[in-house]
Amino acid sequence: MTPTSTEALRDLVASSLVAARERTQLLTGCVDDTDLTRQHSPLMSPLVWDLAHVANQEELWLLRSVGGREPMHPEIDPLYDAFEHPRAERPTLPLLPPAEARAYAHEVRGRVLDLVERATFSGTRLLTGAFAFGMIAQHEQQHDETMLITHQLRKGAPVLSAPPPPPPPADALSLPREVLVPGGPFTMGTSTHPWALDNERPAHTVAVPGFYLDTTPVTNAAYTEFIADGGYDNPRWWSPAGWDHRQRVGLVAPLFWRRDGGGWVRTRFGLTEQPPPAEPVLHVSWYEAQAYAAWAGRRLPTEAEWEKAARHDPATGRSRSFPWGEEDPGPDRANLGQRHLQPAPAGSYPLGAAPSGARQLAGDVWEWTSSDFLPYPGFTAWPYREYSEVFFGSEYKVLRGGAFGVAPVVGRTTFRNWDYPIRRQIFAGFRTARDAEPAVSGPGA
Ligand code: AVJ
Ligand code: FE
């Protein structure tokens, strides 16, 4: 996405906002008002909160900050400020009922599209490269993913449907288990992508020693072996905090899995089915990912390793926007955009492979990394501290790559997601890594 003319940028802004709204309408239009206002999990907001929050942020940033307009309904602002009310509290607030939330979102959007018609996308930092518009399209898409998680947590008959991902290519079963990423520096983050968010900036050089990375995310079949081998019952594989958590909440398998005779079934958007063996495992916490990696004699990749494997091109020494290069993600390269309601089998999307040979580094499942969510050197909060800065620290772990429910506008390879290491409702899986050169052992080792 690097439109060269104002008109191309205008079209990109409009189509990005429209795509986000179509998805919001799909996710909020397929359930009744009771379902929209109910809380399906204490981890999530009622869907009607997400809907009005998306509109409120759009009003704040595009109509007020960029457009200089007066607030439309200043009295509702505090209701939709994510920092004033934790998710668990939101159902008790005097929220706009569904019809009013829809009308508000519609009204804001109409005025925003008028603004887009006249905007010049220059003069202020918010306007340059249409940043504020891109940020708002991404914000709505991020909440669409949040709403998709709410749908996954919702009990009841399926209301969403989508075709399954295409079958994997013929070579999927004969891929090498891991790829080598040779040691050396690479460029992490970006200073140039106009819609990159503050935590992806600035670009900086990071030295990464050589390592091996799984060619694909860890599959349900591989993860089931870990379960069958007693992985959940052996503290040896778990970090102390992970084991403590595993004991306290009684983890035995990924979220949404349950025993069925000798095997397992899972629920996925209201359907109960056997976990497809070749599909990347989903709904595991960072603690489970870490235990699996230890059991496999490996470890999680660091965030820098992950990004290097995903975008460093050894032929040019440069970092790409996507694993395959600069072209926007299409259906032949990555499972993004909620085209499907599940990850594609491991080994899919050969056209989306990174220079390292690793596949599915964009789309399918978010991948836990071993890293804490920290600012890059030279970070400055922009345009608001509450997007990233207030979350930096060791409580949150970074996830990379995006899942099947991530929109292409968010799917660039520098994008950083983060969550608590206990979280499992997110569309998270992982892949494992190991050092290329065995570490030099210390005295007595
Ligand atoms: C980047 C997914 C962690 O949902 O908390 C939405 C995105 N920020 N509204 C979140 C976000 C503000 C954020 N994550
Ligand atoms: Fe938000």
Side-chain angles (χ1 to χ4, degrees):
M1 81 128 262
T2 320
T4 43
S5 70
T6 304
E7 289 322 305
L9 197 48
R10 200 184 310 285
D11 288 348
L12 179 68
V13 164
S15 64
S16 301
L17 290 171
V18 167
R21 187 52 49 87
E22 282 174 358
R23 188 171 171 206
T24 303
Q25 283 168 343
L26 176 78
L27 291 164
T28 55
C30 59
V31 287
D32 62 21
D33 283 8
T34 314
D35 248 344
L36 282 174
T37 46
R38 169 185 300 164
Q39 187 165 45
H40 297 278
S41 156
L43 295 174
M44 310 307 288
S45 315
L47 293 166
V48 77
W49 184 90
D50 288 281
L51 174 59
H53 164 79
V54 154
N56 187 240
Q57 289 285 302
E58 183 166 331
E59 192 208 335
L60 272 165
W61 287 105
L62 300 184
L63 297 183
R64 298 189 217 174
S65 294
V66 171
R69 307 287 185 82
E70 290 305 311
M72 289 163 65
H73 309 286
E75 70 286 356
I76 68 170
D77 288 350
L79 298 175
Y80 298 107
D81 180 335
F83 287 83
E84 289 220 20
H85 306 284
R87 285 180 177 179
E89 218 175 78
R90 292 175 192 164
T92 63
L93 300 173
L95 300 177
L96 295 181
E100 284 163 50
R102 286 195 178 98
Y104 173 51
H106 182 75
E107 180 81 35
V108 171
R109 179 53 60 87
R111 298 182 189 195
V112 164
L113 292 177
D114 288 345
L115 188 64
V116 171
E117 283 302 303
R118 293 179 283 105
T120 53
F121 309 122
S122 65
T124 70
R125 189 162 168 206
L126 279 176
L127 273 167
T128 302
F131 173 81
F133 296 90
M135 176 181 82
I136 286 301
Q138 293 179 71
H139 180 257
E140 182 161 350
Q141 289 282 7
Q142 286 183 272
H143 276 274
D144 289 335
E145 185 184 5
T146 300
M147 290 193 267
L148 191 64
I149 296 170
T150 305
H151 274 278
Q152 168 64 6
L153 287 160
R154 174 183 170 271
K155 302 272 188 304
V159 293
L160 293 171
S161 68
D171 71 352
L173 293 174
S174 54
L175 292 174
R177 185 246 156 105
E178 58 185 4
V179 298
L180 172 65
V181 180
F186 90 107
T187 302
M188 186 170 189
T190 175
S191 299
T192 53
H193 192 295
W195 287 6
L197 303 173
D198 59 0
N199 64 52
E200 300 163 66
R201 300 168 183 272
H204 57 290
T205 302
V206 181
V208 180
F211 69 101
Y212 289 94
L213 183 69
D214 289 344
T215 308
T216 71
V218 170
T219 63
N220 288 324
Y223 199 83
T224 304
E225 279 179 50
F226 166 66
I227 302 175
D229 194 42
Y232 277 86
D233 301 316
N234 192 340
R236 179 171 170 205
W237 310 128
W238 298 70
S239 64
W243 182 250
D244 183 62
H245 176 69
R246 177 257 167 266
Q247 295 290 80
R248 206 150 20 86
V249 303
L251 300 181
V252 295
L255 185 60
F256 307 115
W257 286 36
R258 66 183 161 76
R259 280 225 177 268
D260 178 60
W264 294 95
V265 290
R266 68 163 183 198
T267 54
R268 179 176 62 84
F269 300 108
L271 297 169
T272 299
E273 60 190 18
Q274 286 177 352
E279 193 178 288
V281 69
L282 260 184
H283 301 300
V284 290
S285 61
W286 184 82
Y287 289 133
E288 288 162 292
Q290 206 250 320
Y292 173 96
W295 169 81
R298 300 167 69 84
R299 58 176 174 79
L300 295 178
T302 65
E303 184 181 15
E305 286 174 335
W306 191 97
E307 186 170 323
K308 186 177 179 187
R311 65 191 291 241
H312 177 66
D313 180 355
T316 61
R318 300 174 55 140
S319 284
R320 300 172 164 185
S321 298
F322 298 100
W324 53 86
E326 300 309 315
E327 305 84 26
D328 286 337
D332 54 347
R333 301 221 197 244
N335 181 10
L336 289 163
Q338 204 185 304
R339 287 197 315 276
H340 312 295
L341 288 169
Q342 64 198 104
S348 294
Y349 305 109
L351 295 176
S356 62
R359 292 192 188 175
Q360 294 168 293
L361 284 159
D364 291 302
V365 296
W366 285 108
E367 299 183 16
W368 286 112
T369 71
S370 62
S371 300
D372 295 342
F373 184 48
L374 295 174
Y376 292 160
F379 168 86
T380 48
W382 168 258
Y384 64 112
R385 288 187 65 242
E386 292 77 14
Y387 182 73
S388 313
E389 193 176 24
V390 300
F391 298 102
F392 288 141
S394 56
E395 288 133 285
Y396 292 95
K397 303 298 176 191
V398 173
L399 300 113
R400 289 304 207 95
F404 61 89
V406 166
V409 73
V410 182
R412 65 189 165 275
T413 298
T414 53
F415 187 89
R416 307 173 75 195
N417 194 6
W418 63 93
D419 216 325
Y420 291 119
I422 63 169
R423 286 290 183 248
R424 313 207 294 166
Q425 83 282 3
I426 55 176
F427 300 113
F430 62 101
R431 69 181 84 204
T432 71
R434 68 182 173 101
D435 297 349
E437 297 89 24
V440 180
S441 38

